[in-house]
Amino acid sequence: MSQSSRKKLLLMGRSGSGKLSMRSIIFSNYSAFDTRRLGATIDVEHSHLRFLGNMTLNLWDCGGQDVFMDNYFTSQKDHIFKMVQVLIHVFDVESKLINKDMETFVKSLTNLRKYSPDAKVFVLLHKMDLVQIDKRDELFLIMMEKLQKISNPYLFKLVGFPTSIWDESLYKAWSQIVCSLIPNMNLFNSNLLKFNEVLEAEEIILFEKTTFLVILSTSTMQQQQQQQQQQQPEATLDPKRFEKISNIIKTYKQSISKLRTGFTNLIIRGSNGTHFYVDVLTNNMFIMIILKDTDANTNYVSNHEESMILENIRAARKDFE
Ligand code: GTP
């Protein structure tokens, strides 16, 4: 496999900040409750995750206990920090040892600057559920400002997310992290828009097959275009819908796997004339199509129309392989 399709992601952060929990939820189908019985990570745990077919995410979960951390920044530093594409640094927002957390972050940045200066740096301000709802935005802004200031001398531009295992924020963060690594995103964009010219759907969403992380959606692309043209976005869609859908379908997949079955496609006929199609698009992607009944007087999609849509999906497959 070529080096470019192998992506090394470093997951850093002090012990107990939530690294293993998030990894288990996103990549191993754990529920948030299950994470309570996870033990501490010893040294570095490597996982190799096939993502979108020819991409392998090499996730290095660096156990955060001091005894291991000291080694990462001394005897193991070139091994750990060489050829990194992405550093994901997790901060526990309720940590009582903020200075120590910052110290660790600075050490990571120092080594990253030296060994992988082109890496992208994401910071997750994690366990946000423990902060009072009306204080979250403010805390996020204050912490991001502080962290960016710390990062400036190392020339890294941070991308930050508030996250929690108890809501959809974790999916949002990980979707964006992983999408930042996909090289042919522009091609996917244009093929998806072309496909929607045929279907005229309310929205089409692409999900990665195993993690159900969102890769792309037609309405997000439209919103981005509107923002670029400085138009007021007309969207009234729930901004958390992707993460909610990911959660629902993963839970559904898990439930039916207990019955030793799976699904290749799923059609939900909504009572308000909205119909949802979930189907396998490629070996690595699921597609979700949301269609509104054009005839307001009918709330009915015929079997013929359903098979036509599934046929259209089959025809589009080659554009996303
Ligand atoms: P090391 O392996 O020692 O580096 O720790 P870690 O960063 O992998 O922490 P881990 O994932 O083991 O999480 C520690 C504890 O935090 C677990 O009991 C989790 O259930 C809890 N936890 C993780 N994420 C969250 C979160 O978003 N909110 C809350 N409230 N608890 C969380």
Side-chain angles (χ1 to χ4, degrees), residues 13-22 32 35-36 38-41 61-65 126-130 163-166:
R14 300 217 323 110
S15 183
S17 57
K19 301 179 296 298
L20 179 56
S21 304
M22 56 177 75
T35 65
R36 291 174 175 169
L38 293 169
T41 304
D61 179 354
C62 305
Q65 292 179 34
H126 192 55
K127 304 195 185 179
M128 268 291 172
D129 56 287
L130 300 176
T163 52
S164 163
I165 56 170
W166 294 105

Side-chain angles (χ1 to χ4, degrees), residues 122-297:
F122 292 91
V123 288
L124 304 186
L125 306 190
H126 192 55
K127 304 195 185 179
M128 268 291 172
D129 56 287
L130 300 176
V131 177
Q132 223 179 290
I133 292 184
D134 58 344
K135 300 268 187 316
R136 290 180 192 168
D137 288 349
E138 192 189 351
L139 174 72
F140 179 72
L141 289 176
I142 292 172
M143 277 191 76
M144 280 310 297
E145 201 180 331
K146 196 166 173 182
L147 291 171
Q148 186 56 61
K149 232 183 221 163
I150 289 177
S151 310
N152 284 341
Y154 306 94
L155 309 176
F156 289 113
K157 175 94 186 74
L158 305 184
V159 179
F161 297 97
T163 52
S164 163
I165 56 170
W166 294 105
D167 61 33
E168 308 82 7
S169 55
L170 198 62
Y171 280 99
K172 180 176 181 172
W174 276 91
S175 284
Q176 297 201 18
I177 292 171
V178 169
C179 283
S180 77
L181 295 169
I182 300 174
N184 43 351
M185 207 61 174
N186 284 343
L187 188 65
F188 283 169
N189 278 349
S190 56
N191 285 346
L192 193 62
L193 288 176
K194 237 188 324 178
F195 185 42
N196 202 20
E197 282 169 18
V198 180
L199 285 184
E200 295 184 348
E202 290 292 295
E203 183 164 24
I204 307 182
I205 311 169
L206 301 185
F207 295 93
E208 199 278 331
K209 200 170 163 189
T210 34
T211 56
F212 247 88
L213 291 173
V214 174
I215 297 167
L216 210 55
S217 110
T218 47
S219 57
T220 310
M221 284 190 272
Q222 278 151 6
Q223 266 177 17
Q224 280 165 355
Q225 266 173 7
Q226 284 163 348
Q227 273 164 2
Q228 276 162 11
Q229 293 160 4
Q230 294 185 334
Q231 291 170 5
Q232 195 64 18
E234 29 175 278
T236 46
L237 296 170
D238 178 356
K240 292 185 174 170
R241 65 194 178 287
F242 301 139
E243 298 82 49
K244 288 181 181 168
I245 296 168
S246 296
N247 248 337
I248 291 168
I249 300 204
K250 273 182 96 164
T251 312
Y252 176 69
K253 267 174 72 181
Q254 257 172 311
S255 315
I256 60 172
S257 74
K258 288 185 185 136
L259 303 172
R260 305 226 169 123
T261 180
F263 74 94
T264 46
N265 58 46
L266 184 70
I267 300 171
I268 302 166
R269 296 171 195 166
S271 55
N272 61 351
T274 308
H275 306 280
F276 302 82
Y277 294 77
V278 182
D279 197 2
V280 174
L281 182 64
T282 65
N283 286 337
N284 325 293
M285 276 192 268
F286 267 106
I287 187 166
M288 181 173 211
I289 299 175
I290 297 128
L291 281 171
K292 263 227 155 87
D293 222 332
T294 41
D295 182 351
N297 297 319

Side-chain angles (χ1 to χ4, degrees), residues 195 279-281 287 289 309-317:
F195 185 42
D279 197 2
V280 174
L281 182 64
I287 187 166
I289 299 175
I309 289 167
L310 296 179
E311 191 48 52
N312 270 317
I313 296 174
R314 263 190 291 279
R317 271 179 194 147

